[in-house]
Structures are given as C-alpha cells and as structure tokens.
Amino acid sequence: MKAFAVLWKKELTGYFFSPIAYVVAVFFLASIGLIFSLLVSILAEGPAGISIMNLLFGSPFYWMSMLVLAPVLTMRLLAEEKKSGTIETLLTAPITDAQVVLAKFLGAICFYAFLWLPTGLFLLILRYFSVDMAPLDLGAVAGGYLGALLVGMLYLSIGLLCSALTSNQIIAAVCSFAVLLILFLAGLVEQIARDSAVRAVSSYISSYVHMLEFSRGVIDSRPIVFYLSSTALVLFATVKVVESRTWK
Amino acid sequence: MKRERENLSADQRGGVGRRIALGLNAGAAVALAAALVVMVNYLSHRHYVRSDISRSQFYTLSDKTRSLLASLTSAVDVVVFFQPDHPSLEDVINLLKEYQHISPHIRVDRVDPHRDIGRTEALVRQYDINAINLVIFSSLGRTKVVNGEDLVEMDFSDVLAGESPRPSSFRGEQLFTSAIHSLTQERPPVVYFLRGHGERDINDRDPYTGYSAIAQHARRDNIEVRDLLLSETRQIPADASALVIPGPTKNLAEAEIDLIRAWLNNSGRLMILLDNGPTAGLRPLIEEWGIRLQDGAAVDPLRSLTGLDIFVSDYGIHPITKGLRDIATVFYLPRAVEPEALSGDTPQPVDRPRVTVLARTSPDSWAESDLEQRPMRFDAARDRRGPISIAVAAERGAAPHLEMSLRPSRLVVFGDTDFLSNGAQSSGNADFFLSALNWLLEREALMAISPKPIEEIRLVMTREQVSRVFWFTTVILPGLIAAAGAGVWWQRRT
C-alpha cells in the first residue's frame, strides 16, 4: 500500500513538472474562461432564464477541450515508460500491475480535478455581481462538478488504455481522441435517430445528455453506474494489456 | 526485435502456444468483464433512483402527475412540433423526459417544422394542424393539442414602466398532465351541432362561411363533434354532453324547441349562436333564462378594420373569459345579447338563472338599427349607446346555498355566428369558443398543479466590468498557470 501511495504521488507531481501538462492546463482554463466571460456578457445584457451550469457544460468549447484534454493528459503515462524501458523496472518492483495502472489513473484524475479548481473563482464572480436576483443554485453547481468528475474518469481511463497499447505517445493520443470522439458522437445520434432502441442506447451513453442533466441538479443513478462500471472495465482491460508484457 | 525473434525460434512451438493461451485467457477475462458491465448497466437501467437536488426543482413532477403516469396502461404519443429556437422548447423536452422516466408508455417524438418537411406534412394530414409550436398528445385514436404560447405565463406588471413583459412561470406540467388525463382517463364528451334549419355546417369547408375549422379545433381538444338532425332522431341523444345551435335561419318547429327546452332544464348544456335578424323561434326560450335579445348590430368604427368587424377586448369576469385577458376577439356585426334588467320590486325566484356578460363592446360603440346607412352614424333617437353586451353565460340549478348539489343547467348565447366561421379563424375567437364549450362541459378545471416560477439571473455590471471579467478569466488566470509552468521549466533547466 505504501508503494502504491509513493507511486501515485510520483505520478501526480510528475504532471507539475511536465510542460505538456501546463500547456493543457492553460488551454483548458482559457476555453472555460472564454465560455464563462461570454456567459457573463449575455447575463449583463439583460435577465435570462437560463441555467448557468447548463450553458457552461452544454457549450461546444467545453466538449472540445474535454476531447483534447483527456488524450493529452494520459498519452505519456504508459507509452513513455514502454519506450524508455522503465516499465520493466516498474513492473518488477514489489507492486502489482493493477496497482501501477491505478496509481497512474488516480494521478491523472487528481490533476484533472486540480484543473477545475480555478473555476471556483467564477462562482464567486457570479455571486458578487448578481444582485436582487436568485442566488446561485448550489445543487446545480454540485451536480455539474460531479458530472465533470465522472465524465473525466471515463475519458482519462480510455486515454490510459490507449497509452498502454502502444509505445508511441502520439499514436496513443490520436487513438484515444478517436475513441472519445466516436463515443461522444454516438451520444449525439440520439438527436437524429428515428429508431427508438437506437435512441435509447445512444442517450444512455451520451455524455452530452448526462452533463446537461447533472448541471441541472438532477442526480440519476444510471449515468453514475455507467461511468463507474465502464471506467472499471477500461481499467481492467488496461491491466490485462500491461500484463501481456510478461507473456513470454 | 532480433532477440525476440531468436527466442521465438528457440522455443517456437511451446512459446507461441503459451502466448496464444495467455492471450485468449486475457481476452476472455476482458470479454467476461464487459458482459458483466453490460449486465450491471442493464439492471441499473431498469432499477434506478433519480433525485433533483437543485433548489428550483424546476422539472420535478408533482404527486398528481406521478400517480397518473403510473396508472397508464396504453401508449401516449407525444409530438413536440416546435421551431428549434423557441424559448420554451428546452423546458418542454426536459419536462417530457421526466414523464418518460416515470412511464414507459409515454413516447416522445420531435419534429422540426422547418427541417422535417415530410414529417410535417404527415402531421398536418394526420392531425389537421395549421400552426407551429404545438405539443400534440394522442392516445387511443384521440388527440389533444397544447399550444406553445400557453406554456409560459407572462408578467405584464412592468409594461407600463416601459419594460417588456417577462416570463413569470412555466405551466408545462399542468397542461401536459391535463392533456394526458383527458386522453386516457375520460371518455371524450360528445357535442352535437344542430342541423336542418339553415345552420352553419361543421362539415362545410367553405373558406368563408363553413364551420369545419372550428369543429376541428374542438376535435383537437379531445371533443367528439357530431351532427344532429332532430327531425330524424326526435330526441336529443343520451350521449350528448352539449348541444350547439349554430345560427339557424329558419324557424325551429315548436316540438323541437320543446325537446330542447326540456333537455336543457334537465341539466342540459346549450350554446346558441344567433346573428342579427330572425331568431328562429328561439327568443322565448332564451328569454326564459333572463336573457334579452335586442335587434340592431353593434358597430364601433374606432375598433374596426372594415366597419363590419369589431375588435372586442372587454370581457366580463367569468371562468370562460379567464384566459382571454389580453387576447382580442373579432365579431362581425354582432347583435346585442344582454342580461335582463332586474326590477327591484318583484321578488326573484330562488332558481333564477345567474346571467353573466362574457364580452361587451367599447363605450364608443353603439347598436345600429339601420344597417343600410352609409356611413354608419350614431343617431340618438333610434340607436343605443354602448357598451353593448354581445355574449352571455347563464347557469341555473347550482345554487350555492342549497345543501344538495344538482348538476346545473348551463346556457351560453353569442350574438354572432360569423366569428367562428372558417374565414375568421385568425384571432382569439376559437379560444373563446372552446373556453365556452369547456365551461358547458364542466371541463374548465385543469388539473390543480401549480406552475413553476421561472427564475431569472441578472448580473448588474458595467461594460468595463464585463471586459475586466473577460481579461481575468480568459487571459490572466491561464497566464498565471503558464507563468508557473515557465518557472518550473526554467528551474529544472538550470
């Protein structure tokens, strides 16, 4: 367990020394900040009956940055270790393969959560300027952040799996971007499909629909189960891929 | 790579076999895990909890809606026929999703009137609709249409101060649940339209004089509309929930009037539409109800486009006119129909009908006795000054102080027939008619579900503050992170 904690800490601090992580953080914050300032300019023009969180998480900017963020944050995790050969050292250390994968995953999740921290300032700005009107709906805010965390878990785990499959970071990033894009678009099929079964499946896996619901403050057990179970499945597959190094 | 190949040749058979076995093993494990995840998700899809932790609980359904949806046994098809940029569309979709979460019998379909041309045409054929932004409910071959404009209640309180009206509350749940209730829980009421005396015809599609459009409006409100030829049936059918006499031009037989009178007095529901001129022998019947028919047509040059029409927006206080407050209706040379003036001396019988004025013309109008006059002028000697009552509702038998509750008899009289014809379907006229019909049918009470207040967010900011927020969130905050990154990079380099 101690070895796991050490590894996790090393993974997390690794982000803070990685230039690409800073590039991602700047890109992410700039796009979220842009959405937010657009929102503020709309609300300053006149009252609007729209939910702030809904607009934030339904915006194409948000989804664009999510689809880029997850592959870039995870691409080097296993691919780099494979390429440089350090994976052999890591896997012969007194720690199981599952612990290695989990430590890397948790490191990525923690860094992802860290990226969201500055957005707390946005809420303070809204609170400061919204006078004589309904204060911020904290239920919707909490739902929005919960949804962002769940979606982030699945997306990062997919990135990790792609990173385990190859020793080339660029291939890992492109693969996970492609998978995430397909997953995301499959969720949008709901809007155009005619067949009710296709629509039901599509809306069940649609991150876009889920985020809109979470950011309205609607907490549903189905998307939560979907994200937790599919993240677990992807991580399990990742462990199996890592184990395949020893099949000799 | 080379060493790998050498290893392979050294122990080729056993090594490859082992790797295939291990690979299959891992593949099977992942496949099993995937099957498990699909199963878990299937179960979770069937059994789930859902709660709304937002403060407004905007889409949380009331217990009434929940129990109605839980009791559904037949499919209810809902077509959301909205323009994509309609302000209520998102609320409609989200609310219907909550309905679907409770009942699998609710099937929702979206049709964009501008994009889905084929399906729009199919809808127009199927439901004979002539407007957009509607939510169409249908079940068991019956239809009920909810108008998008009725979904939001507007607050006009600041209009005088120069502000535009604000949306104040969302009535979606009330209207949708009432629609589903009337489709699935009630037998549609049957309304008969009298024929055989030169009345307007509900099957007449003439673009000006026909009544086919108003009949279609009634059908869309889940009302069954039929013809009635009294000379054939010799009685008013037992399933008649209401009877409409749409402007007879020839006299009804005395026996027919007796039939109608007896039926009306026995908790019947009657609507009479009468133009200026002959009263088709209905005058005594109407007068028994404390309603006076005056000759002469109401005119109001100040509220008219052609001189023959008259825009009315002064409504009496009555359940029928509750929804018409800010909608104008257009009448065409209506005759005066008014409550009889009560003389204070004679004692009034207990069961005297209570007569209420539904609509009246403005004080600038008058009742013109000479319709040939051009241009029409107010002539103090013969004409009567407005306002003139042109529609009344009367009720008898529901005396509030009596212990027993009788089903009251109800009568509505309109002093015009043109206002419902196919040529006059452009304003609130159909709403007025349907509202009156629903009052006769005692359907005026929608499900008592309170509308959800619409919360609005407004930021009080100057232009400069807005631009400062932009710089802070889009440039300074990411810039700080970039600076931190540069600092780390510099430190590691040195």
Side-chain angles (χ1 to χ4, degrees), chain B residues 382-411:
Chain B
R382 294 179 304 168
D383 299 342
R384 210 154 45 88
R385 244 309 151 211
I388 295 179
S389 158
I390 53 173
V392 296
E395 184 176 37
R396 179 154 66 187
H401 51 274
L402 285 182
E403 288 292 309
M404 40 183 193
S405 66
L406 289 172
R407 187 178 138 91
S409 299
R410 286 180 172 178
L411 171 68

mmCIF file of all heavy atoms in Angstrom, chain B residues 382-411:
data_model
loop_
_atom_site.group_PDB
_atom_site.id
_atom_site.type_symbol
_atom_site.label_atom_id
_atom_site.label_comp_id
_atom_site.label_asym_id
_atom_site.label_seq_id
_atom_site.Cartn_x
_atom_site.Cartn_y
_atom_site.Cartn_z
ATOM 1 N N ARG B 382 -82.692 56.742 -32.422
ATOM 2 C CA ARG B 382 -83.005 55.338 -32.659
ATOM 3 C C ARG B 382 -81.934 54.378 -32.126
ATOM 4 O O ARG B 382 -82.231 53.266 -31.735
ATOM 5 C CB ARG B 382 -83.150 55.098 -34.174
ATOM 6 C CG ARG B 382 -84.335 55.823 -34.785
ATOM 7 C CD ARG B 382 -84.387 55.549 -36.250
ATOM 8 N NE ARG B 382 -83.109 55.933 -36.892
ATOM 9 C CZ ARG B 382 -82.768 55.599 -38.117
ATOM 10 N NH1 ARG B 382 -83.570 54.824 -38.823
ATOM 11 N NH2 ARG B 382 -81.630 55.996 -38.647
ATOM 12 N N ASP B 383 -80.694 54.827 -32.155
ATOM 13 C CA ASP B 383 -79.598 53.921 -31.782
ATOM 14 C C ASP B 383 -79.333 53.981 -30.276
ATOM 15 O O ASP B 383 -79.688 54.942 -29.615
ATOM 16 C CB ASP B 383 -78.328 54.299 -32.541
ATOM 17 C CG ASP B 383 -78.533 54.184 -34.042
ATOM 18 O OD1 ASP B 383 -79.512 53.504 -34.423
ATOM 19 O OD2 ASP B 383 -77.742 54.773 -34.795
ATOM 20 N N ARG B 384 -78.689 52.919 -29.811
ATOM 21 C CA ARG B 384 -78.410 52.825 -28.383
ATOM 22 C C ARG B 384 -76.902 52.910 -28.172
ATOM 23 O O ARG B 384 -76.121 52.278 -28.892
ATOM 24 C CB ARG B 384 -78.920 51.476 -27.857
ATOM 25 C CG ARG B 384 -79.362 51.485 -26.437
ATOM 26 C CD ARG B 384 -80.396 50.381 -26.213
ATOM 27 N NE ARG B 384 -79.962 49.127 -26.835
ATOM 28 C CZ ARG B 384 -79.202 48.220 -26.219
ATOM 29 N NH1 ARG B 384 -78.821 48.404 -24.972
ATOM 30 N NH2 ARG B 384 -78.857 47.120 -26.849
ATOM 31 N N ARG B 385 -76.484 53.682 -27.177
ATOM 32 C CA ARG B 385 -75.064 53.859 -26.898
ATOM 33 C C ARG B 385 -74.476 52.572 -26.279
ATOM 34 O O ARG B 385 -75.141 51.865 -25.534
ATOM 35 C CB ARG B 385 -74.928 54.949 -25.845
ATOM 36 C CG ARG B 385 -74.246 56.242 -26.151
ATOM 37 C CD ARG B 385 -72.904 56.256 -26.751
ATOM 38 N NE ARG B 385 -72.703 57.453 -27.564
ATOM 39 C CZ ARG B 385 -71.943 57.500 -28.631
ATOM 40 N NH1 ARG B 385 -71.334 56.427 -29.069
ATOM 41 N NH2 ARG B 385 -71.777 58.612 -29.300
ATOM 42 N N GLY B 386 -73.215 52.320 -26.577
ATOM 43 C CA GLY B 386 -72.524 51.179 -25.968
ATOM 44 C C GLY B 386 -72.090 51.504 -24.562
ATOM 45 O O GLY B 386 -72.377 52.614 -24.099
ATOM 46 N N PRO B 387 -71.418 50.671 -23.817
ATOM 47 C CA PRO B 387 -71.034 49.339 -24.295
ATOM 48 C C PRO B 387 -72.222 48.395 -24.442
ATOM 49 O O PRO B 387 -73.196 48.511 -23.708
ATOM 50 C CB PRO B 387 -70.086 48.841 -23.218
ATOM 51 C CG PRO B 387 -70.328 49.680 -22.012
ATOM 52 C CD PRO B 387 -70.931 50.960 -22.471
ATOM 53 N N ILE B 388 -72.093 47.496 -25.389
ATOM 54 C CA ILE B 388 -73.185 46.571 -25.677
ATOM 55 C C ILE B 388 -72.718 45.143 -25.434
ATOM 56 O O ILE B 388 -71.666 44.727 -25.930
ATOM 57 C CB ILE B 388 -73.625 46.750 -27.135
ATOM 58 C CG1 ILE B 388 -74.205 48.161 -27.244
ATOM 59 C CG2 ILE B 388 -74.603 45.683 -27.552
ATOM 60 C CD1 ILE B 388 -74.662 48.540 -28.573
ATOM 61 N N SER B 389 -73.511 44.450 -24.652
ATOM 62 C CA SER B 389 -73.155 43.057 -24.356
ATOM 63 C C SER B 389 -73.469 42.203 -25.578
ATOM 64 O O SER B 389 -74.558 42.280 -26.138
ATOM 65 C CB SER B 389 -73.968 42.605 -23.143
ATOM 66 O OG SER B 389 -74.047 41.214 -23.143
ATOM 67 N N ILE B 390 -72.493 41.401 -26.005
ATOM 68 C CA ILE B 390 -72.729 40.580 -27.203
ATOM 69 C C ILE B 390 -72.608 39.080 -26.925
ATOM 70 O O ILE B 390 -72.791 38.266 -27.822
ATOM 71 C CB ILE B 390 -71.747 40.968 -28.329
ATOM 72 C CG1 ILE B 390 -70.315 40.914 -27.826
ATOM 73 C CG2 ILE B 390 -72.072 42.343 -28.874
ATOM 74 C CD1 ILE B 390 -69.310 41.112 -28.928
ATOM 75 N N ALA B 391 -72.289 38.707 -25.704
ATOM 76 C CA ALA B 391 -72.258 37.280 -25.369
ATOM 77 C C ALA B 391 -72.515 37.140 -23.864
ATOM 78 O O ALA B 391 -71.997 37.929 -23.081
ATOM 79 C CB ALA B 391 -70.900 36.671 -25.725
ATOM 80 N N VAL B 392 -73.340 36.176 -23.514
ATOM 81 C CA VAL B 392 -73.630 35.962 -22.088
ATOM 82 C C VAL B 392 -73.575 34.475 -21.762
ATOM 83 O O VAL B 392 -73.728 33.616 -22.633
ATOM 84 C CB VAL B 392 -75.030 36.500 -21.692
ATOM 85 C CG1 VAL B 392 -75.113 37.995 -21.852
ATOM 86 C CG2 VAL B 392 -76.105 35.793 -22.472
ATOM 87 N N ALA B 393 -73.334 34.198 -20.491
ATOM 88 C CA ALA B 393 -73.406 32.825 -19.995
ATOM 89 C C ALA B 393 -74.418 32.806 -18.863
ATOM 90 O O ALA B 393 -74.489 33.755 -18.076
ATOM 91 C CB ALA B 393 -72.036 32.383 -19.487
ATOM 92 N N ALA B 394 -75.211 31.750 -18.815
ATOM 93 C CA ALA B 394 -76.204 31.651 -17.745
ATOM 94 C C ALA B 394 -76.148 30.255 -17.134
ATOM 95 O O ALA B 394 -75.846 29.278 -17.822
ATOM 96 C CB ALA B 394 -77.597 31.920 -18.296
ATOM 97 N N GLU B 395 -76.443 30.225 -15.848
ATOM 98 C CA GLU B 395 -76.380 28.950 -15.149
ATOM 99 C C GLU B 395 -77.574 28.867 -14.201
ATOM 100 O O GLU B 395 -77.939 29.844 -13.564
ATOM 101 C CB GLU B 395 -75.065 28.875 -14.375
ATOM 102 C CG GLU B 395 -74.856 27.547 -13.680
ATOM 103 C CD GLU B 395 -73.486 27.492 -13.022
ATOM 104 O OE1 GLU B 395 -73.042 28.542 -12.505
ATOM 105 O OE2 GLU B 395 -72.891 26.419 -13.008
ATOM 106 N N ARG B 396 -78.151 27.706 -14.099
ATOM 107 C CA ARG B 396 -79.296 27.543 -13.200
ATOM 108 C C ARG B 396 -79.172 26.187 -12.506
ATOM 109 O O ARG B 396 -78.817 25.189 -13.126
ATOM 110 C CB ARG B 396 -80.595 27.600 -13.978
ATOM 111 C CG ARG B 396 -81.826 27.423 -13.094
ATOM 112 C CD ARG B 396 -83.023 28.064 -13.695
ATOM 113 N NE ARG B 396 -83.430 27.398 -14.936
ATOM 114 C CZ ARG B 396 -84.382 27.873 -15.713
ATOM 115 N NH1 ARG B 396 -84.999 29.001 -15.415
ATOM 116 N NH2 ARG B 396 -84.723 27.227 -16.799
ATOM 117 N N GLY B 397 -79.483 26.194 -11.226
ATOM 118 C CA GLY B 397 -79.544 24.896 -10.517
ATOM 119 C C GLY B 397 -78.362 24.629 -9.634
ATOM 120 O O GLY B 397 -78.334 23.654 -8.901
ATOM 121 N N ALA B 398 -77.364 25.483 -9.681
ATOM 122 C CA ALA B 398 -76.209 25.257 -8.813
ATOM 123 C C ALA B 398 -76.205 26.301 -7.717
ATOM 124 O O ALA B 398 -75.254 27.027 -7.512
ATOM 125 C CB ALA B 398 -74.920 25.346 -9.617
ATOM 126 N N ALA B 399 -77.359 26.406 -7.043
ATOM 127 C CA ALA B 399 -77.471 27.427 -6.006
ATOM 128 C C ALA B 399 -76.471 27.123 -4.896
ATOM 129 O O ALA B 399 -76.494 26.040 -4.325
ATOM 130 C CB ALA B 399 -78.890 27.444 -5.459
ATOM 131 N N PRO B 400 -75.592 28.047 -4.594
ATOM 132 C CA PRO B 400 -74.529 27.766 -3.638
ATOM 133 C C PRO B 400 -75.045 27.538 -2.227
ATOM 134 O O PRO B 400 -74.425 26.847 -1.442
ATOM 135 C CB PRO B 400 -73.650 29.024 -3.718
ATOM 136 C CG PRO B 400 -74.491 30.077 -4.346
ATOM 137 C CD PRO B 400 -75.485 29.384 -5.193
ATOM 138 N N HIS B 401 -76.243 28.119 -1.900
ATOM 139 C CA HIS B 401 -76.712 27.991 -0.520
ATOM 140 C C HIS B 401 -77.545 26.736 -0.308
ATOM 141 O O HIS B 401 -77.984 26.456 0.783
ATOM 142 C CB HIS B 401 -77.493 29.245 -0.113
ATOM 143 C CG HIS B 401 -78.572 29.594 -1.103
ATOM 144 N ND1 HIS B 401 -78.304 30.373 -2.212
ATOM 145 C CD2 HIS B 401 -79.861 29.261 -1.170
ATOM 146 C CE1 HIS B 401 -79.417 30.510 -2.917
ATOM 147 N NE2 HIS B 401 -80.363 29.846 -2.303
ATOM 148 N N LEU B 402 -77.802 25.998 -1.367
ATOM 149 C CA LEU B 402 -78.572 24.760 -1.196
ATOM 150 C C LEU B 402 -77.637 23.614 -0.795
ATOM 151 O O LEU B 402 -76.509 23.530 -1.267
ATOM 152 C CB LEU B 402 -79.280 24.403 -2.503
ATOM 153 C CG LEU B 402 -80.496 25.253 -2.843
ATOM 154 C CD1 LEU B 402 -81.133 24.753 -4.126
ATOM 155 C CD2 LEU B 402 -81.517 25.245 -1.706
ATOM 156 N N GLU B 403 -78.181 22.745 0.037
ATOM 157 C CA GLU B 403 -77.368 21.636 0.535
ATOM 158 C C GLU B 403 -77.026 20.628 -0.573
ATOM 159 O O GLU B 403 -75.905 20.220 -0.763
ATOM 160 C CB GLU B 403 -78.100 20.909 1.662
ATOM 161 C CG GLU B 403 -78.155 21.687 2.960
ATOM 162 C CD GLU B 403 -76.790 21.819 3.608
ATOM 163 O OE1 GLU B 403 -76.127 20.779 3.762
ATOM 164 O OE2 GLU B 403 -76.388 22.955 3.922
ATOM 165 N N MET B 404 -78.090 20.281 -1.308
ATOM 166 C CA MET B 404 -77.864 19.235 -2.319
ATOM 167 C C MET B 404 -77.147 19.833 -3.529
ATOM 168 O O MET B 404 -77.316 20.990 -3.875
ATOM 169 C CB MET B 404 -79.182 18.628 -2.750
ATOM 170 C CG MET B 404 -80.266 19.655 -2.900
ATOM 171 S SD MET B 404 -81.774 18.854 -3.331
ATOM 172 C CE MET B 404 -82.724 20.252 -3.827
ATOM 173 N N SER B 405 -76.311 19.022 -4.138
ATOM 174 C CA SER B 405 -75.611 19.526 -5.306
ATOM 175 C C SER B 405 -76.240 18.936 -6.560
ATOM 176 O O SER B 405 -76.152 17.745 -6.816
ATOM 177 C CB SER B 405 -74.137 19.157 -5.216
ATOM 178 O OG SER B 405 -73.995 17.775 -5.290
ATOM 179 N N LEU B 406 -76.908 19.793 -7.300
ATOM 180 C CA LEU B 406 -77.520 19.375 -8.555
ATOM 181 C C LEU B 406 -76.551 19.687 -9.672
ATOM 182 O O LEU B 406 -75.776 20.622 -9.580
ATOM 183 C CB LEU B 406 -78.804 20.170 -8.783
ATOM 184 C CG LEU B 406 -79.979 19.850 -7.880
ATOM 185 C CD1 LEU B 406 -81.075 20.863 -8.113
ATOM 186 C CD2 LEU B 406 -80.488 18.441 -8.153
ATOM 187 N N ARG B 407 -76.621 18.889 -10.723
ATOM 188 C CA ARG B 407 -75.830 19.252 -11.884
ATOM 189 C C ARG B 407 -76.542 20.431 -12.540
ATOM 190 O O ARG B 407 -77.707 20.328 -12.933
ATOM 191 C CB ARG B 407 -75.769 18.065 -12.839
ATOM 192 C CG ARG B 407 -74.833 18.262 -14.006
ATOM 193 C CD ARG B 407 -74.817 16.990 -14.849
ATOM 194 N NE ARG B 407 -74.836 17.314 -16.266
ATOM 195 C CZ ARG B 407 -73.739 17.488 -16.991
ATOM 196 N NH1 ARG B 407 -72.567 17.402 -16.433
ATOM 197 N NH2 ARG B 407 -73.827 17.769 -18.278
ATOM 198 N N PRO B 408 -75.873 21.570 -12.631
ATOM 199 C CA PRO B 408 -76.573 22.758 -13.128
ATOM 200 C C PRO B 408 -76.830 22.680 -14.626
ATOM 201 O O PRO B 408 -76.127 21.996 -15.360
ATOM 202 C CB PRO B 408 -75.594 23.885 -12.801
ATOM 203 C CG PRO B 408 -74.260 23.235 -12.748
ATOM 204 C CD PRO B 408 -74.481 21.832 -12.278
ATOM 205 N N SER B 409 -77.871 23.386 -15.053
ATOM 206 C CA SER B 409 -78.082 23.603 -16.483
ATOM 207 C C SER B 409 -77.266 24.823 -16.876
ATOM 208 O O SER B 409 -77.172 25.775 -16.108
ATOM 209 C CB SER B 409 -79.555 23.899 -16.762
ATOM 210 O OG SER B 409 -80.341 22.814 -16.357
ATOM 211 N N ARG B 410 -76.700 24.788 -18.075
ATOM 212 C CA ARG B 410 -75.879 25.928 -18.494
ATOM 213 C C ARG B 410 -76.220 26.324 -19.920
ATOM 214 O O ARG B 410 -76.475 25.465 -20.763
ATOM 215 C CB ARG B 410 -74.391 25.595 -18.407
ATOM 216 C CG ARG B 410 -73.883 25.552 -16.991
ATOM 217 C CD ARG B 410 -72.414 25.211 -16.912
ATOM 218 N NE ARG B 410 -71.946 25.361 -15.544
ATOM 219 C CZ ARG B 410 -70.692 25.092 -15.154
ATOM 220 N NH1 ARG B 410 -69.803 24.672 -16.021
ATOM 221 N NH2 ARG B 410 -70.345 25.257 -13.896
ATOM 222 N N LEU B 411 -76.201 27.633 -20.147
ATOM 223 C CA LEU B 411 -76.529 28.158 -21.470
ATOM 224 C C LEU B 411 -75.555 29.289 -21.807
ATOM 225 O O LEU B 411 -75.276 30.139 -20.968
ATOM 226 C CB LEU B 411 -77.968 28.699 -21.451
ATOM 227 C CG LEU B 411 -78.437 29.484 -22.673
ATOM 228 C CD1 LEU B 411 -78.552 28.591 -23.895
ATOM 229 C CD2 LEU B 411 -79.791 30.143 -22.384
#
